[in-house]
């Protein structure tokens, strides 16, 4: 139960931060991606703030030995980017650029009830389901996206 409460509060803080920074408005995101035109730098500050908080707190968190609400920290994946990762990243970027939403702001914006947000979120979840279809057929031994089985990196 504590894990669910923590996840909810983390998501709520994330959503409030996105809303306060204006990053739930696709025009702001598209302005950030328009580097050849009228570039909007504000999203860079939002991302920079998140990176700064993470960079400052990560060493303190890792000193604990284990997370507060989990038995251990997740293992890092081994290997190089493969074609699926590169294709998925490209599709994500195209969708982000065209729609102006990525999953976090899109879900936060659902509360507005705007038809374009609802269509985007429905299509996003449709994409999540479609991405799993090839794994459901014929590749029983392959690791599916979102699988919890990972190969840990060896320690240096």
């Amino acid at each position: 139960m504590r894990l669910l409460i923590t996840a909810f509060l983390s998501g709520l803080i994330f959503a409030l931060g996105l809303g306060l920074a204006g990053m739930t408005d696709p025009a702001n995101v598209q302005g950030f991606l328009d580097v050849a035109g009228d570039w909007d730098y504000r999203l860079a500050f939002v991302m920079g703030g998140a990176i700064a908080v993470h960079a400052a707190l990560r060493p303190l968190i890792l000193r604990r030995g284990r997370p507060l609400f989990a038995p251990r920290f997740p293992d890092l994946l081994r290997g190089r980017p493969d074609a699926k990762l590169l294709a998925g990243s490209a599709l994500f970027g195209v969708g982000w650029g065209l729609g102006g939403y990525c999953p976090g702001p899109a879900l936060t914006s659902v509360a507005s009830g705007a038809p374009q947000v609802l269509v985007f979120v429905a299509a996003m979840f449709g994409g999540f389901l479609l991405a799993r279809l090839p794994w459901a057929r014929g590749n029983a031994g392959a690791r599916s996206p979102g699988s919890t089985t990972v190969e840990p990196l060896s320690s240096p």
Side-chain angles (χ1 to χ4, degrees):
M1 184 61 147
R2 288 175 35 181
L3 181 60
L4 290 176
I5 292 170
T6 302
F8 175 78
L9 292 175
S10 297
L12 183 63
I13 291 169
F14 178 73
L16 290 172
L18 286 174
L20 185 63
M23 293 303 122
T24 58
D25 181 356
N28 291 335
V29 174
Q30 288 167 334
F32 172 74
L33 297 173
D34 186 14
V35 293
D38 188 21
W39 187 61
D40 184 350
Y41 59 87
R42 294 178 295 167
L43 182 54
F45 281 96
V46 172
M47 287 190 250
I51 291 168
V53 169
H54 176 76
L57 295 179
R58 182 174 168 84
L60 298 172
I61 292 167
L62 291 178
R63 255 192 267 164
R64 292 189 48 83
R66 79 175 207 52
L68 290 175
F69 304 119
R72 63 186 179 88
F73 289 108
D75 295 324
L76 298 176
L77 294 177
R78 175 186 299 182
R80 297 175 188 237
D82 60 6
K84 290 183 300 188
L85 175 64
L86 297 175
S89 299
L91 285 171
F92 175 86
V94 168
W96 188 30
L98 290 174
Y101 291 109
C102 66
L107 291 175
T108 302
S109 297
V110 164
S112 73
Q116 67 271 21
V117 176
L118 300 176
V119 168
F120 182 91
V121 169
M124 180 178 74
F125 279 103
F128 292 164
L129 294 173
L130 285 174
R132 291 184 176 269
L133 281 181
W135 297 104
R137 295 186 237 146
N139 281 337
R143 190 174 77 76
S144 65
S147 169
T148 56
T149 305
V150 295
E151 284 186 54
L153 282 173
S154 11
S155 299

